[in-house]
Amino acid sequence: MKSSPVHGGNIYEIASSQGRSIHRVLDFSASINPLGLSPVVRRAIRQAIPFAVHYPEIESLSLRRQLARIHKISEGCLAIGNGSAELISLIPRALHVRHGLVIGPTFVEFERALTQAQARCTYVLAQSDSDYTPPIDEACTLLDQQTGIRRSKKQSIDSPIDIVFLCHPNSPTGQVISRAQFHQLYESVQRAGACLIVDEAFIDYCVSRSVLRKVGTMAGLFVLRSFTKFFAIPGLRIGYLAGPEKEVSTIRSLLPPWSVNIVASAAAEAAVQDKAYQRQSVTFMNIERKRFRAGLQVLPYVQRVIPSSANFLLVQLSKDYSVARMVQELCEEGLVIRDCQNFPGIDVPTIRLAVRLPKENDRLLKALKRQPRQ
Ligand SMILES: Cc1ncc(COP(=O)(O)O)c(C=O)c1O
């Protein structure tokens, strides 16, 4: 695997190659809340600036206390990171993982974290023709086989799976699983003696699906959250991990000191209290995602638009359609989309589009209508 995987949001390179300012690029490749910074968060950022002359708290204790109260878990069960990506990269190393199972196609940083910790990475992959429904049965079957291996002590043949990554809702598919499927997966993970990492970077759009409250009561369950997407602060870098106290404390001890800056902490503390923005964002997304999806579904070269519970849509194009040409042509108009063909498990022409403001989505739809039919 390459050392720096492709992600959405690389607008700097695109803007510079086009000779435009980044403010003149419409980014549909990173899925950031199109409502932008909430006024409450903006104020908190402004008020935090004078504190930049001080070091931040070493282990982000104030934010951890606040999150502990909100989620009704102990502050010892929380670690704050410089983006949830920092925490993902530490998990396999901190937990001495040898073999991870990734439910894909999904965010490539799980595989990268495993590889960097010299652990093996196995995927179970959802299929495009079933709308990328997460392959929970397949994951459970694999885990149950591993349970057999562990019991018969044949570990020398192959190291059993000791960690499972589930992204929920999944990126790039937007798919969620039912409560029953979550319990089915968790039970298989438990029987296999492994732990389960649920990445809830996009959960704020369907928060009733969250399993964060179960941390502490379900052994071996870890939940990742990000402030990046929903609170539209990708440039500040802040996210958190909730999980069993002992393991989370190990992860905190591996973080560099002052990894989270004062401005990001202040923004996060304000964001979690801003219930009005949270409600407004969810209501907006439920309406606009439906409208945008309907506009995409009628394009002649669109095969299917996967139903999504997040703020983006995965769009499968007709066989042999040139995504590279589409990406390039849109780019020339200052419209950036995500080519998904480099996700392990996506081998048909597929793009991911963030759901943005109605007039921005209309601009993209108009440009997409000009694309060749074949
Ligand atoms: C599913 C998922 N998890 C985690 C992250 C990392 O987010 P951050 O480090 O900005 O919190 C991303 C970023 O794209 C993501 O898509």
Side-chain angles (χ1 to χ4, degrees), residues 7 82-86 88 106-107 110 167 169-171 199 201-202 225-229 234 237-239 352:
H7 290 297
N82 191 270
S84 58
E86 181 177 54
I88 293 171
T106 192
F107 189 47
F110 307 134
C167 183
N170 187 34
S171 175
D199 182 343
F202 293 97
R225 286 278 184 99
S226 172
F227 287 95
T228 288
K229 321 285 180 181
R237 315 300 308 127
I238 184 160
R352 188 189 62 201

Side-chain angles (χ1 to χ4, degrees), residues 181-358:
Q181 284 176 307
F182 170 74
H183 284 284
Q184 181 197 351
L185 177 65
Y186 177 74
E187 275 158 30
S188 285
V189 170
Q190 278 289 99
R191 277 197 299 275
C195 55
L196 176 60
I197 315 292
V198 183
D199 182 343
E200 295 191 339
F202 293 97
I203 200 75
D204 304 81
Y205 290 103
C206 49
V207 81
S208 64
R209 304 281 192 147
S210 173
V211 294
L212 205 159
R213 287 270 174 97
K214 297 188 191 294
V215 163
T217 58
M218 290 177 115
L221 173 68
F222 296 74
V223 175
L224 283 154
R225 286 278 184 99
S226 172
F227 287 95
T228 288
K229 321 285 180 181
F230 191 72
F231 295 104
I233 49 171
L236 290 186
R237 315 300 308 127
I238 184 160
Y240 61 98
L241 174 71
E245 194 151 351
K246 184 165 163 272
E247 287 80 1
V248 170
S249 145
T250 305
I251 288 169
R252 277 202 308 273
S253 72
L254 291 174
L255 284 165
W258 316 293
S259 119
V260 178
N261 69 78
I262 274 179
V263 179
S265 296
E269 284 176 39
V272 291
Q273 293 176 59
D274 193 352
K275 299 291 173 205
Y277 175 86
Q278 294 171 30
R279 274 194 301 274
Q280 190 195 359
S281 300
V282 173
T283 307
F284 167 82
M285 191 48 59
N286 287 340
I287 296 167
E288 185 55 18
R289 185 177 54 219
K290 198 165 159 200
R291 192 190 74 90
F292 190 31
R293 184 165 185 253
L296 292 163
Q297 271 172 322
V298 296
L299 295 169
Y301 50 82
V302 166
Q303 291 243 306
R304 51 161 68 86
V305 185
I306 310 301
S308 168
S309 297
N311 59 336
F312 53 80
L313 290 162
L314 191 72
V315 185
Q316 190 183 322
L317 311 180
S318 41
K319 197 168 160 287
D320 301 328
Y321 201 85
S322 172
V323 176
R325 182 195 57 210
M326 173 186 268
V327 168
Q328 182 56 36
E329 287 178 7
L330 293 173
C331 203
E332 283 160 18
E333 294 187 49
L335 300 166
V336 183
I337 64 167
R338 175 74 157 95
D339 179 350
C340 290
Q341 290 170 117
N342 62 350
F343 278 92
I346 297 191
D347 46 17
V348 287
T350 308
I351 54 174
R352 188 189 62 201
L353 305 174
V355 179
R356 298 192 52 120
L357 296 176

Side-chain angles (χ1 to χ4, degrees), residues 27-44:
D27 186 10
F28 289 84
S29 71
S31 304
I32 304 302
N33 188 336
L35 302 189
L37 275 183
S38 92
V40 173
V41 170
R42 190 182 290 274
R43 195 177 324 121

